[in-house]
Amino acid sequence: DNVLIVLENEKELDFILNPDLKNEEHRVRYVGVSRAKVKLFITVPTLKPESKAKIEQNLQVIYLS
């Protein structure tokens, strides 16, 4: 029901920020994201303000500390 995606760095957020479904890694992550029925969690060690703003424009985001 819930899905957690753990990313090693912000560059790996490209599958959300600049999706390219011809890219195998993007497709695999998209499949993971699409499996969430209740909640989707994505964790990344750091996040630039520009990336955060772009994500917030497209998704309902809740930040947990």
Side-chain angles (χ1 to χ4, degrees):
D1 290 339
N2 300 306
V3 173
L4 169 64
I5 297 179
V6 179
L7 304 176
E8 292 184 17
N9 58 59
E10 187 173 345
K11 178 68 177 153
E12 293 180 357
L13 283 170
D14 272 353
F15 80 101
I16 293 174
L17 300 174
N18 302 301
D20 175 8
L21 294 181
K22 293 180 183 180
N23 179 315
E24 181 69 16
E25 287 186 32
H26 286 210
R27 286 198 327 258
V28 169
R29 289 189 176 120
Y30 176 81
V31 168
V33 166
S34 68
R35 296 301 185 255
K37 294 178 183 176
V38 178
K39 292 185 181 178
L40 169 65
F41 301 89
I42 301 174
T43 182
V44 63
T46 60
L47 187 61
K48 294 178 187 168
E50 306 84 46
S51 298
K52 179 180 172 184
K54 190 169 183 181
I55 290 169
E56 288 174 337
Q57 288 175 355
N58 298 308
L59 302 172
Q60 180 182 356
V61 179
I62 300 171
Y63 292 99
L64 304 174
S65 297

